[in-house]
């Protein structure tokens, strides 16, 4: 069965084992791998590479590589390579526990960049030469074109830039993925043209990846599903957050600012995002569309319900149950899903043109509306900024969502000053917690602070926040954004000592 | 002579005095005024409005208005209205001392937004209704179309949205401005299309503003030049910064990343920017272009030298001497200058498509590459973010420039942690001081810190910065971005006490 996935004779002649393929990767190489949010990453060659690294280590040799991906991958890639300390450089997003530990131990350099910019950054040589592309595909056509897998990510760029290409052809991916993708690539300046996409369901490219067959050094046949991307039913806080957002969107429609079928939705990953999707299924809006970077269970549910008529994404990242549904009904789903390169799915030009409604989770917000998406207590990397900046800066609505409390109530997610800034006051329009929603549009910093404290902070932390801003207002050196720099991080310092904020 | 500037009979019939025109503005109104970087702002009606406000105050009445502009204006607008405390809300950028004082005293709300977003924010109603548009123009054609003045700014949007329109027709502006502008407006979602601009000198609109003549309540004839926008010869530090940038651009060309005639230049205002322009006149690059928001003396010099073949901007903001040169040679300059609405001059879609080389000044940077462009010691507003975010996020190169020291050497412009973040680590590629340039592309935070301390910080502050990061590396809770939150702002606290950092 798997043989039928490699119709090109020349490439069929390059089929080797994962171990033989991994041997093409050399110490110090930069490897551009497929993968976005635990989907479409190579499954076997990374593990073979980890074995090579272990063997080198046992010989007393250093064998480390740079790993450039689309976004997060899964244990068999980021996990295995991090366990053997084989990653010298990682970009642009990760969420694997072992990978995160290496980054925070100082063992791996991690550059946390906007996902839409990652391809061009590599093309411009920010990371040096791209030596190898290691890409999972669903099939290889007779003419050598490639049917992409469950994510597109940066694959077109990696295939174009790399000296050597290794393909994993994954027979577990449904052959009917063919036709679901839309591959369009962007030139570098001064040769760029307008991207001709004006609706989320516009097709502007072709459904295949292209590769110079002479660069392909190895083809590996695999048969392994993507990880079972966890999906939890929305908890109480998430349902409340979703409720506030739905109410707000109804208000926006009523005001005549957006059409009754809204504008294309962008939704980050996780529990709250899924709760919003669940809320939309039961909500008053119809004929919805999505222009987003990852299609998760919640959005598949929306497609099935008929409320969502189209989703543009760069990846499908599903639980096993949802994936089975996708495969079982793929001829129907394929009419409603387009997977694009992340340079297009996340392109600010398109986000601003379409006027997306961007909804992303965060770690903490401050009273003036600055957002920390990435760093725990200022220094420790959680995952990365991902696509949130691509969307939020250019969206019609940039909505950031968080429960008001963390660590069982010990920590407030609303603080006097965030310990790291990923989204500045200039880019944050709406903040939502389970307590309520703060519409910050058009407001000056002190006006925002009042709303955020009253509507979003947990009641038990409101008096301390109000006290901070009141005293800052009396003593700070200016009233635009009153701060007490001597105690702005006292809340975080208490948390670092293991105390309640 | 001035009469010949109003060729439309109906509008000629609406000519009144500035005082009569100002009477159309009511307490609580939002007034959209023209003006960008001290050019093209209305000259007489704002002063008449200030007199009305004073009179109201003397009667014990409150008379305050919201002032929405393109960017900064000049003393006769922001200054006069602030002196009488007549401004309740100001957006999106200012640089007037009286206006700044009102903001920092807490007397006026100031919302500091990306200049490219200011028009759409008002269209979406973030500030409520736009009651009045008060726009300076050069002339009114027989059919009622308007020849814009020395800046375009947000004028097309203000003219479209306002209930009432007041025009100042300024006979001091050269009649030959006609044809220099290119007015193209952007629809709101879901009706947006690709902006068909692929080169800085593309014309995509028409050279006139349009207004519904029935909305025009008053026309005022004026005869007053823009302010003499100060131009200082570059100082030693600025020349050194310019030298580092020129050397770096040569390096980029040599690497084959950009063409020999570079990519379109964007340049912020001020001494350093002018030094870079002066350096380019003597430098090795030819056939340069600019895609920027304001054309100052330095860029006019470049046009005159022939090194710069075209400049796209939204304003010409010149010294009197340079303005005289512009007027004397306007038929020649008009072939090389296009003035656009700021939604287009600053549009991220275009900045990314063209791959601009963005060069902007700052207040302070931190060792990890975060930038504070706006807030003195965390709380006090200086001017605003202006267009720096529009360009930096989407540029081919985002270069930020500052002398390493301020206040006669007492303050370091490179600090452990910036006291306000306007540009995050994700958006800052190059930092330059007189000591050198740090190319941060592709680097993780600790790698950036090493370069910034070694290349950019003043030598007398380097040991303390190195000490900070060394101790943070030993004690922080993660090695991605090591910070000591208990002392991150100690440098600013010393400055607040009047000590050296």
């Amino acid at each position: 069965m798997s043989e039928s996935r490699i119709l090109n004779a020349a490439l069929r002649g390059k089929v080797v084992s994962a171990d033989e393929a991994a041997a093409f990767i050399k110490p110090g190489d930069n490897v551009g791998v497929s993968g976005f949010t635990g989907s479409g990453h190579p499954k076997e060659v990374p593990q073979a590479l980890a074995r090579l690294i272990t063997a080198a280590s046992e010989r007393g040799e250093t064998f480390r590589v740079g790993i450039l991906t689309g976004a997060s991958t899964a244990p068999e890639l980021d996990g295995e390579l991090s366990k053997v300390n084989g990653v010298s450089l990682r970009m642009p997003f990760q969420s694997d526990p072992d990978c995160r530990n290496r980054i925070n131990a100082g063992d791996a350099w991690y550059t946390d960049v906007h996902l839409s910019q990652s391809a061009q950054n590599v093309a411009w040589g920010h990371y040096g030469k791209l030596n190898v592309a290691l890409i999972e595909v669903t099939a290889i056509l007779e003419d050598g074109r490639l049917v992409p897998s469950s994510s597109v990510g940066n694959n077109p760029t990696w295939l174009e830039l790399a000296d050597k290409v290794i393909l994993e052809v994954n027979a577990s991916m449904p052959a009917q993925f063919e036709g679901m993708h839309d591959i369009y690539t962007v030139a570098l300046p001064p040769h760029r043209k307008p991207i001709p996409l004006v609706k989320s369901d516009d097709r502007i490219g072709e459904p295949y990846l292209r590769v110079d067959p002479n660069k392909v050094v190895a083809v590996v046949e695999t048969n392994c599903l993507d990880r079972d991307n966890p999906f939890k039913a929305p908890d109480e806080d998430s349902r409340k957050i979703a409720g506030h957002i739905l109410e707000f969107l109804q208000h926006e429609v009523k005001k005549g600012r957006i059409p009754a079928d809204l504008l294309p939705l962008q939704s980050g990953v996780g529990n709250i995002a899924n709760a919003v999707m669940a809320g939309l299924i039961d909500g008053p809006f119809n004929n919805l569309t999505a222009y987003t970077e990852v299609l998760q269970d919640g959005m598949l549910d929306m497609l099935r319900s008929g409320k969502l008529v189209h989703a543009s994404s760069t990846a499908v990242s599903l639980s096993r149950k949802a994936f089975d549904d996708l495969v079982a009904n793929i001829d129907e789903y394929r009419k409603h899903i387009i997977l694009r390169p992340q340079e297009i799915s996340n392109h600010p030009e398109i986000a601003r043109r379409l006027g997306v409604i961007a909804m992303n989770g965060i770690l903490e917000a401050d009273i003036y509306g600055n957002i920390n998406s990435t760093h725990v207590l200022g220094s420790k990397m959680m995952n990365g900024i991902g696509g949130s900046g691509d969307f939020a800066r250019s969206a019609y609505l940039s909505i950031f969502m968080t429960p008001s409390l963390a660590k069982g109530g010990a920590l407030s997610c609303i603080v006097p000053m965030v310990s790291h800034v990923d989204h500045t006051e200039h880019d944050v329009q709406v903040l939502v917690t389970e307590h309520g929603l703060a519409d910050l549009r058009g407001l000056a910093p002190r006006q925002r602070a009042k709303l955020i404290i009253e509507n979003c902070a947990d009641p038990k932390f409101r008096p301390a926040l109000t006290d901070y801003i009141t005293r800052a207002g009396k003593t700070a050196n200016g009233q635009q954004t009153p701060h007490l720099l001597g105690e702005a991080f006292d809340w975080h310092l208490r948390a670092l000592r293991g105390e309640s904020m």
Side-chain angles (χ1 to χ4, degrees), chain A residues 141-157:
Chain A
L141 301 188
E142 201 167 343
D143 63 7
R145 286 181 300 171
L146 312 172
V147 179
S149 179
S150 47
S151 68
V152 179
N154 286 318
N155 295 352
T157 303

Side-chain angles (χ1 to χ4, degrees), chain A residues 49-66:
Chain A
L49 176 61
R51 291 191 290 274
L52 283 182
I53 290 169
T54 302
S57 171
E58 287 165 1
R59 292 192 305 272
E61 295 163 14
T62 301
F63 192 157
R64 310 188 79 204
V65 294

Side-chain angles (χ1 to χ4, degrees), chain A residues 10 28 35 60 72 126 128 134 169 231 241 244 359 365 384 399 408 412 416 452 457 463 482-483:
Chain A
S72 56
H126 293 191
L134 169 56
V169 184
F231 175 77
I241 290 170
H244 299 311
M359 298 174 282
I399 302 174
S412 174
I452 289 172
H483 266 301

Side-chain angles (χ1 to χ4, degrees), chain A residues 52 56 84 111 121 127 149 183 199 227 252 255 262 277 281 308 326 333 353 377 417 434 438 488 490 498:
Chain A
L52 283 182
V84 299
T111 69
N121 288 356
Y127 304 91
S149 179
I183 310 301
K199 297 196 314 297
R227 75 175 182 208
E252 289 294 293
K255 283 272 187 183
L262 306 182
M277 298 302 123
I281 290 176
L308 184 69
L326 176 74
Y333 280 121
R353 184 178 302 147
L377 299 170
M417 180 184 264
E434 74 279 16
D490 278 2

